[in-house]
Amino acid sequence: MSDEEFYMSTYTPNIELNLPKKVWIFDTTLRDGEQMPGVTYTIDEKIKIARQLDELRVPKIEAGFPITSKGETESVKRIAALGLDSTIIALSRPLKGDIDRALDCDVPYIHIFISTSDLHIKHMMNTTREEVLNQAVDGITYAKDHGVRVEFSPQDATRTNMDFLKEICIAAGDAGAEMLNIPDTVGVMTPRITYEFFKELKNTVKTPLSAHAHNDLGQATATSLAAVEAGCEQIHVCINGLGERAGNTSLEEVAVSLIAQYGIETGLNYQKLAETSNMVQQLSSIYMPPTTPIVGDNAFTHEAGIHVHGLLSHRGNYEIINAEFVGKKSRIAAGKHAGRHGVFKMVRDLGFEPTEDQLKTISRRVKSIGDTGKVITDDDLYAITKDVMNIRMEDRVKLQQLLVVTGNTITPTASVTLIVDGKPMTGSGVGNGPIDSATNAIRNVVGHFADISLEKFSMKAITGGTNAVANVTVGVRQGDRLISANAVHGDTVMASVEAILKGMNRLLDKAELK
Ligand code: KIV
Ligand code: ZN
């Protein structure tokens, strides 16, 4: 299976599709995505995300809504000045003040919107359809007169009277809008209805159409694709599907569906999808559930015996796309559903060559631990295998002493003494908090002989109250190897340090076993 092989449905439906050759990806992570309650980025973070989107080769980036604040204006201006390949866009109402502020940011493209549904016109703007149409045309004309490209959105389009929607779309196109974006602002559509809606619009409106869906009913990806099936040439998306309320259409889902389902090119560098999603998760502090399509931890993880067996014979049996295509790795997890083939593969990947009998015992133990409800980490599998194979090996890195200082007036600082291959080594580190500083201190010591990084971290309180016992699971990476490990301790910093050292030791052991 090469990186670009897809294993989709073989059914050929007898339906009329009006697919475009290419679909433009319009990313609004920095605008609609940041409107998500609880999400806010500093200017530097926005610049970091914009650079990453550019590496992902997103053709259009909506960098912000300049009129909302001085900081927003500044960040749009700075992103526009980066000289990225992506086209940088500013959002604006069709008001002179808004458009002037967007023009001040030196963007080449302005996205102008105004509500068009009777609901919004009457109960939000207290105006008339006629006034809305005039404002839209005046705003577009004003922006075009200042030499920028213009996209127009009739907000709440999917709850707008169809005749009025056609009228305002035609007027916006005549005034110079090059793209008409049709927002399903409150996510009320279904795929079938969206298809008909776009088909009807396309029959009358000659300017290219774009879809902008919200996920209130969990339909955003499906309705965006239905719009494409009716000939829509652009989709508005956010990384990780962030956005107001239930979010916007997910870039990852739509981009992969377009290429895998229909063979439609987007020009994206798909291998950057996982990295981009991770960056936005870190900076937004909104972490994706493991079941998230394409980028979730479980999207390419297999535990059940039958699946793993099938996967090992041909990846296409249980993976519709190759994990590497989106910058991920396919993974087998140990657990009560695991079969011998899967356990054998995992154990070999850890560096062991058990006999058939040993393998049977290892599989039995994995199943019985899984039956107790425990999640089995790589470190657990390692310990079981060593025990069954009677291998005695000392950990190469041991903790001798850890001192962490934190408080409201100092930068959290840690100093650590590790015994590395029998010799004491001391180092220190600072960080955002006690766990971060302890992790950095360990990395500073171990970094001399191994480039190991902490990639995943999760903590659960096992009991309630302030004296709860912490259960920490980490993913520790060296090169392309990622090892999971877990530790339980009454002290959150100690639980974290122990888990990290376990993972680190397993990575270092592998080198020795070979
Ligand atoms: O959802 C919406 O209607 C919007 C517009 C500003 C396009 O985000
Ligand atoms: Zn929106």
Side-chain angles (χ1 to χ4, degrees):
M1 183 179 181
S2 85
D3 268 11
E4 297 209 18
E5 267 175 302
F6 308 119
Y7 291 88
M8 311 302 286
S9 171
T10 50
Y11 175 67
T12 314
N14 187 16
I15 48 173
E16 179 206 341
L17 298 181
N18 186 14
L19 297 170
K21 283 207 171 52
K22 179 176 171 137
V23 167
W24 296 93
I25 296 293
F26 178 117
D27 181 277
T28 179
T29 304
L30 296 173
R31 198 279 297 170
D32 221 346
E34 206 203 16
Q35 283 174 217
M36 175 158 176
V39 173
T40 167
Y41 305 111
T42 63
I43 295 184
D44 286 344
E45 287 171 340
K46 283 195 163 198
I47 289 177
K48 211 169 156 188
I49 294 174
R51 285 192 187 284
Q52 180 70 26
L53 292 172
D54 187 56
E55 278 190 36
L56 180 62
R57 295 206 287 266
V58 165
K60 298 184 185 178
I61 299 176
E62 187 165 56
F65 189 3
I67 199 72
T68 46
S69 74
K70 275 197 181 138
E72 185 80 349
T73 307
E74 180 63 17
S75 62
V76 176
K77 203 181 253 182
R78 289 197 34 206
I79 292 170
L82 292 173
L84 303 178
D85 287 336
S86 313
T87 300
I88 305 303
I89 300 163
L91 182 69
S92 171
R93 289 169 297 181
L95 305 174
K96 190 171 171 301
D98 275 35
I99 298 171
D100 285 341
R101 188 71 84 84
L103 292 169
D104 283 348
C105 298
D106 279 332
V107 289
Y109 191 126
I110 298 183
H111 171 202
I112 294 179
F113 76 100
I114 188 165
S115 287
T116 50
S117 66
D118 288 339
L119 200 65
H120 282 204
I121 292 176
K122 277 197 202 122
H123 300 293
M124 197 164 76
M125 298 189 296
N126 199 16
T127 183
T128 59
R129 286 185 189 171
E130 195 187 1
E131 181 52 25
V132 163
L133 192 140
N134 289 339
Q135 270 194 39
V137 169
D138 289 351
I140 295 165
T141 310
Y142 182 73
K144 285 298 292 178
D145 285 348
H146 285 78
V148 288
R149 294 166 63 191
V150 173
E151 173 161 337
F152 174 68
S153 286
Q155 189 175 33
D156 209 15
T158 54
R159 293 191 299 175
T160 296
N161 170 280
M162 187 45 105
D163 290 337
F164 180 55
L165 185 61
K166 286 177 185 165
E167 188 185 346
I168 197 165
C169 281
I170 292 169
D174 289 347
E178 65 179 75
M179 180 68 78
L180 298 171
N181 178 52
I182 307 300
D184 185 16
T185 303
V186 285
V188 293
M189 299 296 267
T190 65
R192 188 94 189 253
I193 296 172
T194 302
Y195 175 83
E196 293 299 330
F197 193 95
F198 272 78
K199 195 170 148 193
E200 180 164 352
L201 261 185
K202 241 192 121 51
N203 281 340
T204 340
V205 177
K206 294 304 155 219
T207 308
L209 298 181
S210 161
H212 174 117
H214 280 265
N215 205 27
D216 297 66
L217 294 173
Q219 302 287 326
T221 297
T223 57
S224 299
L225 295 175
V228 170
E229 290 180 351
C232 158
E233 290 170 59
Q234 176 178 280
I235 303 184
H236 280 208
V237 291
C238 288
I239 298 293
N240 297 333
L242 299 188
E244 296 251 23
R245 307 181 308 279
N248 283 69
T249 306
S250 142
L251 180 147
E252 305 76 49
E253 292 175 16
V254 151
V256 173
S257 301
L258 285 173
I259 184 87
Q261 294 274 9
Y262 315 109
I264 296 180
E265 271 303 333
T266 57
L268 293 183
N269 179 1
Y270 296 93
Q271 282 74 18
K272 290 268 170 193
L273 282 176
E275 186 183 293
T276 311
S277 162
N278 283 341
M279 176 192 277
V280 173
Q281 291 186 53
Q282 305 282 336
L283 296 179
S284 63
S285 297
I286 305 289
Y287 294 94
M288 295 295 103
T291 47
T292 307
I294 318 294
V295 291
D297 273 356
N298 288 359
F300 299 94
T301 301
H302 311 267
E303 178 183 314
I306 296 172
H307 284 219
V308 172
H309 188 201
L311 189 82
L312 292 176
S313 329
H314 193 296
R315 289 170 79 166
N317 280 332
Y318 285 101
E319 285 186 351
I320 55 169
I321 61 168
N322 193 340
E324 281 77 8
F325 179 67
V326 294
K328 285 185 79 84
K329 279 206 174 316
S330 152
R331 199 171 69 87
I332 296 169
K336 70 173 179 187
H337 305 106
R340 256 191 313 134
H341 289 96
V343 173
F344 185 50
K345 165 104 175 63
M346 277 181 283
V347 165
R348 280 191 79 167
D349 285 351
L350 289 175
F352 298 98
E353 287 290 345
T355 63
E356 193 58 27
D357 279 351
Q358 286 170 334
L359 187 63
K360 275 188 196 147
T361 315
I362 297 167
S363 296
R364 242 192 338 263
R365 288 227 206 147
V366 165
K367 278 181 185 291
S368 66
I369 296 177
D371 271 338
T372 65
K374 187 179 180 312
V375 174
I376 300 165
T377 63
D378 296 326
D379 176 58
D380 296 323
L381 185 62
Y382 196 94
I384 297 168
T385 308
K386 273 198 329 186
D387 191 42
V388 171
M389 294 178 72
N390 210 8
I391 296 173
R392 301 275 162 255
M393 268 170 72
E394 288 269 309
D395 279 352
R396 287 181 63 190
V397 182
K398 291 182 189 149
L399 178 68
Q400 187 175 63
Q401 194 180 54
L402 173 71
L403 180 71
V404 183
V405 191
T406 187
N408 63 341
T409 53
I410 56 161
T411 305
T413 308
S415 87
V416 66
T417 303
L418 301 176
I419 305 293
V420 180
D421 292 333
K423 286 190 223 100
M425 291 174 80
T426 299
S428 60
V430 292
N432 287 337
I435 296 174
D436 194 34
S437 60
T439 308
N440 290 337
I442 294 172
R443 285 192 65 198
N444 287 342
V445 174
V446 178
H448 294 295
F449 64 97
D451 182 19
I452 287 174
S453 60
L454 178 62
E455 188 164 303
K456 294 197 162 113
F457 180 91
S458 69
M459 186 184 301
K460 274 195 257 171
I462 297 182
T463 50
T466 50
N467 63 349
V469 171
N471 181 339
V472 172
T473 302
V474 294
V476 186
R477 179 176 288 286
Q478 184 182 33
D480 65 353
R481 298 195 65 230
L482 181 68
I483 289 278
S484 57
N486 169 273
V488 175
H489 201 289
D491 180 317
T492 51
V493 181
M494 284 307 302
S496 312
V497 166
E498 282 183 9
I500 291 167
L501 288 179
K502 277 184 185 177
M504 211 172 248
N505 275 304
R506 297 305 69 87
L507 285 167
L508 297 173
D509 285 345
K510 165 118 195 246
E512 210 147 272
L513 280 167
K514 278 204 152 171

